[in-house]
Amino acid sequence: MTFQILDILNNMESRLYGYCALLSYRYMNICVKPEPVSLLSASVIIDDNPYELEKVAKLAKPDDDSLQIIPMEQSLIPDITKAILLEHPEFKLDIVDDPSAKRESDDAIAPKMIVLTVPPVDKDVKKSMLDLVNALYQDCDKRMKLDFDVAAAKAGVAAITLSEETQKETKKTFEDSYNNFVKQAEKYKENKTEEIEEAYARWCEENGNNEKKEKEEKEAENRDAAFKMALDDTTLEN
């Protein structure tokens, strides 16, 4: 395999790696659980200048259900909340007392922090998330296929003067590399889908009884309404 072909292969692999990395990052931002990495793209604007969130606040994850954002300065809370909600409007955001902060006196106002929670994955949220997972995967797959086709064509032209065995080897090398990246993207999709399904299963387990009770109450209301209607019709006939 010539240097020219290797250069084409390296360029293709670099681009395919980038598509897979972007897919992984996008999946991290489909938040089933609050994760600090999902806030990497949040840009806090202070005096018209953008700052990374980690430059103006500390992040803590006390449990699997919430994230704590502790601002460097209390005055930054409005700017931080705005930046977070621009990136993740689906987050539930609360401003609460920071129990770990020191107070100058018992009468002093307690410093505040931001607590983020992710909405539970119910049936509607699950569908929306899975639709987005599939759409992002298809976009990644389409881009990788296009880059592979272009690179394989270039390599084929570069290898046309080489031996038949080398041409076959070149073709197989490009196909094997491409297929490995496709498998990686499929694995990202599979893992994210499984994460969403597990979150939905937890929601069903926690809310199944309530959902069943609401359904039974609704059915009872419908029966009562139908019975009342029948009585009214009978009264009118008499």
Side-chain angles (χ1 to χ4, degrees):
M1 193 177 297
T2 66
F3 174 80
Q4 181 184 6
I5 295 173
L6 284 174
D7 187 52
I8 295 170
L9 177 64
N10 290 335
N11 286 334
M12 181 195 78
E13 289 180 337
S14 178
R15 291 179 66 84
L16 298 188
Y17 175 83
Y19 292 137
C20 284
L22 178 60
L23 180 65
S24 176
Y25 176 74
R26 285 174 167 175
Y27 280 168
M28 288 178 186
N29 280 275
I30 303 176
C31 298
V32 174
K33 294 180 180 180
E35 295 291 349
V37 70
S38 66
L39 299 177
L40 287 177
S41 58
S43 181
V44 183
I45 306 299
I46 304 172
D47 296 331
D48 296 327
N49 295 312
Y51 293 87
E52 296 175 356
L53 182 59
E54 62 183 13
K55 300 293 185 181
V56 297
K58 295 180 180 179
L59 277 66
K61 188 177 179 182
D63 51 54
D64 289 337
D65 298 319
S66 62
L67 270 181
Q68 295 176 345
I69 314 296
I70 304 167
M72 302 294 189
E73 298 288 342
Q74 291 287 291
S75 61
L76 298 178
I77 288 179
D79 299 316
I80 294 172
T81 57
K82 182 179 179 180
I84 292 171
L85 292 177
L86 278 174
E87 291 298 315
H88 288 284
E90 77 278 14
F91 281 1
K92 182 178 181 293
L93 188 150
D94 295 300
I95 298 174
V96 302
D97 292 345
D98 181 359
S100 64
K102 294 182 179 180
R103 299 168 64 176
E104 295 179 1
S105 67
D106 293 338
D107 297 330
I109 298 175
K112 304 293 184 181
M113 68 178 181
I114 302 165
V115 176
L116 302 178
T117 53
V118 176
V121 182
D122 59 17
K123 186 176 181 180
D124 292 336
V125 173
K126 170 191 167 185
K127 182 181 184 305
S128 297
M129 284 184 168
L130 291 180
D131 286 346
L132 183 55
V133 166
N134 290 330
L136 292 175
Y137 171 79
Q138 289 170 8
D139 177 69
C140 176
D141 185 60
K142 181 179 179 181
R143 292 173 185 272
M144 290 200 300
K145 181 65 166 63
L146 180 60
D147 272 38
F148 165 70
D149 287 342
V150 171
K154 287 182 179 179
V157 172
I160 199 168
T161 59
L162 304 178
S163 67
E164 183 177 348
E165 181 180 352
T166 301
Q167 291 181 41
K168 290 180 178 178
E169 178 187 345
T170 298
K171 181 180 179 182
K172 185 177 186 305
T173 298
F174 275 74
E175 289 176 347
D176 288 347
S177 177
Y178 166 70
N179 289 332
N180 285 335
F181 283 104
V182 169
K183 289 178 182 177
Q184 184 65 63
E186 289 175 345
K187 188 64 177 177
Y188 288 150
K189 178 187 175 185
E190 178 184 333
N191 290 344
K192 194 64 188 184
T193 299
E194 183 178 343
E195 183 183 6
I196 293 169
E197 293 287 359
E198 288 176 352
Y200 176 63
R202 288 194 298 271
W203 180 86
C204 289
E205 184 178 349
E206 294 169 0
N207 296 273
N209 292 334
N210 292 335
E211 199 173 49
K212 182 179 178 181
K213 182 179 179 181
E214 290 176 5
K215 183 178 179 181
E216 290 174 349
E217 289 176 350
K218 186 67 176 178
E219 290 174 350
E221 289 175 4
N222 291 338
R223 285 195 300 269
D224 290 344
F227 182 65
K228 185 178 183 300
M229 186 180 296
L231 285 177
D232 291 344
D233 290 343
T234 301
T235 302
L236 289 173
E237 290 175 1
N238 292 335

